[in-house]
Amino acid sequence: MSTPAPARRIIPIARAGTDDGAHSPRQSLRLAFQVGFFALFVLAPVFDLFRYDLNADHAWLLGMEWRLGLDPFLAGQASALEAAGSIMLHLFVPLLTVAAVVLWVAWKWGRMYCGWLCPHFSVVESINKLMARASGKPSVWEKHRLPAWKPDGSRAKVDARWWGLVVPAAVAFAFLWAVVLLTYLLPPAEVYGNLIAGELTRNQFIFITAATVVLSLEFLFARHLFCRFVCAVGLFQSLAWMGNRDAMVVGFARARATDCSSCLPERQSACDAVCPMRLRPRNIKRHMFTCTQCRQCIDACGETQRDNPEGPLLSWVTGEAARQNEAGFRAFKER
């Protein structure tokens, strides 16, 4: 009588129902921040929270006129030195203060503005998801399809009919952006009034048309490439983050790397698949230069390892743990 072979230990994929971790508490919070900031981006000019009025030749801030204080100089009642001081006080000090806050946040936690607030990154993620539904790839430049499995264990559905929504969505986002950007330069009541009445001026029509075409192409073909290689706001955040060895990074339990083989069927990685910037989250920090700290890779790992008693392999780490994460990468490579 033969003895049955011992059963292999298999770490089961978690039960279905969370849709790639998109509905985890942290992702729900991030979505709330993104929606709120996108609404602020659209409505700020309407309520004069922030915009520059080309007609009136001055800015608006929090419902009040924001001028550089050059009227006394132009009237011959102030010196050039006083005018320079006024420009410094009313223009450079506020701008440098905002820049300092953004860079300080990036120095400690990375590109949090990009991943949690930026309205452009919201569009990037939205188009990525629609394009993945249409083609199985989040970008037209992606060489390979995403895994056929989601982190929750369900099959990823691909249907070419979704292209009927991808292109209109990109154009709609581009048109909205074009109109909103124009309201940052001209009175919103004038822009929206002319748009609704179909009486845009020649210059308004040219601006909205040109911006819609350019942004449509960017949203369709170069959205995450723009975030990675072009956006100056993102670049300076990345530089600040890279300069702090204790900054928050995605840590990887490299000693348990074999658990990744059971992450998804067909030996594919859930964390790589969900990254909207098309990065490899288990990599060293300098290869994660454009990470937006969106946490989707961590949530996807947590979903696939939900039934693993040792827990997920990815987590946010800071301080000494962040340093050890990088040291662990070098030690892992040397073995």
Side-chain angles (χ1 to χ4, degrees):
M1 182 175 177
S2 60
T3 303
R8 290 188 303 148
R9 176 179 178 269
I10 299 177
I11 300 172
I13 296 177
R15 60 183 177 274
T18 56
D19 190 19
D20 298 350
H23 300 301
S24 70
R26 195 63 65 93
Q27 289 303 323
S28 297
L29 177 63
R30 190 172 74 90
L31 178 62
F33 273 103
Q34 287 181 311
V35 171
F37 200 81
F38 199 98
L40 178 63
F41 166 69
V42 173
L43 297 176
V46 175
F47 295 102
D48 291 332
L49 298 180
F50 177 74
R51 68 181 179 89
Y52 187 85
D53 193 329
L54 291 176
N55 292 342
D57 198 23
H58 67 76
W60 289 87
L61 181 65
L62 301 179
M64 299 178 290
E65 293 186 8
W66 183 21
R67 301 176 181 272
L68 295 181
L70 295 180
D71 291 342
F73 173 74
L74 296 176
Q77 300 173 355
S79 65
L81 183 61
E82 290 173 325
S86 181
I87 294 175
M88 180 67 69
L89 177 64
H90 293 92
L91 179 61
F92 290 105
V93 170
L95 291 178
L96 291 175
T97 299
V98 172
V101 171
V102 172
L103 291 178
W104 179 79
V105 170
W107 184 79
K108 286 184 66 68
W109 298 295
R111 292 173 62 164
M112 296 291 287
Y113 168 77
C114 295
W116 289 68
L117 297 177
C118 178
H120 181 272
F121 193 69
S122 303
V123 176
V124 170
E125 292 189 88
S126 300
I127 301 299
N128 277 4
K129 292 175 181 177
L130 290 174
M131 196 168 287
R133 291 296 300 269
S135 65
K137 299 189 295 184
S139 167
V140 294
W141 309 116
E142 200 84 4
K143 294 181 179 179
H144 306 289
R145 278 194 170 196
L146 295 174
W149 302 88
K150 296 181 180 181
D152 63 10
S154 63
R155 278 275 187 178
K157 299 178 181 179
V158 178
D159 189 336
R161 289 176 295 182
W162 278 84
W163 280 112
L165 187 57
V166 172
V167 176
V171 175
F173 274 124
F175 177 75
L176 174 63
W177 268 65
V179 173
V180 171
L181 290 176
L182 186 59
T183 63
Y184 275 87
L185 301 174
L186 295 175
E190 175 186 336
V191 174
Y192 289 121
N194 290 351
L195 185 65
I196 294 173
E199 298 176 352
L200 290 172
T201 66
R202 179 176 178 274
N203 289 339
Q204 291 172 356
F205 177 80
I206 291 174
F207 180 94
I208 292 177
T209 301
T212 299
V213 170
V214 172
L215 288 170
S216 295
L217 295 174
E218 195 265 339
F219 289 156
L220 285 171
F221 300 107
R223 4 177 236 291
H224 66 274
L225 297 177
F226 174 88
C227 294
R228 292 179 66 178
F229 304 116
V230 180
C231 179
V233 176
L235 173 63
F236 283 107
Q237 287 181 89
S238 292
L239 292 174
W241 179 57
M242 293 295 291
N244 180 12
R245 295 179 61 191
D246 294 329
M248 184 174 70
V249 297
V250 176
F252 175 46
R254 305 190 190 282
R256 296 173 47 213
T258 53
D259 284 352
C260 289
S261 63
S262 62
C263 178
L264 292 178
E266 304 173 19
R267 292 181 174 272
Q268 294 169 309
S269 301
C271 59
D272 293 347
V274 299
C275 178
M277 294 293 277
R278 314 313 305 137
L279 304 176
R280 296 184 180 274
R282 294 170 291 171
N283 221 327
I284 194 170
K285 184 177 179 179
R286 68 172 179 268
H287 294 158
M288 294 286 289
F289 182 76
T290 55
C291 174
T292 60
Q293 307 291 25
C294 70
R295 192 189 160 87
Q296 292 186 66
C297 58
I298 296 176
D299 288 333
C301 181
E303 187 67 22
T304 61
Q305 302 296 323
R306 193 171 187 172
D307 294 326
N308 187 337
E310 296 184 82
L313 291 86
L314 297 180
S315 63
W316 271 339
V317 294
T318 58
E320 183 59 28
R323 291 173 179 257
Q324 292 301 319
N325 183 70
E326 299 302 291
F329 180 88
R330 291 190 292 271
F332 187 81
K333 294 290 286 185
E334 291 170 358
R335 281 189 288 179

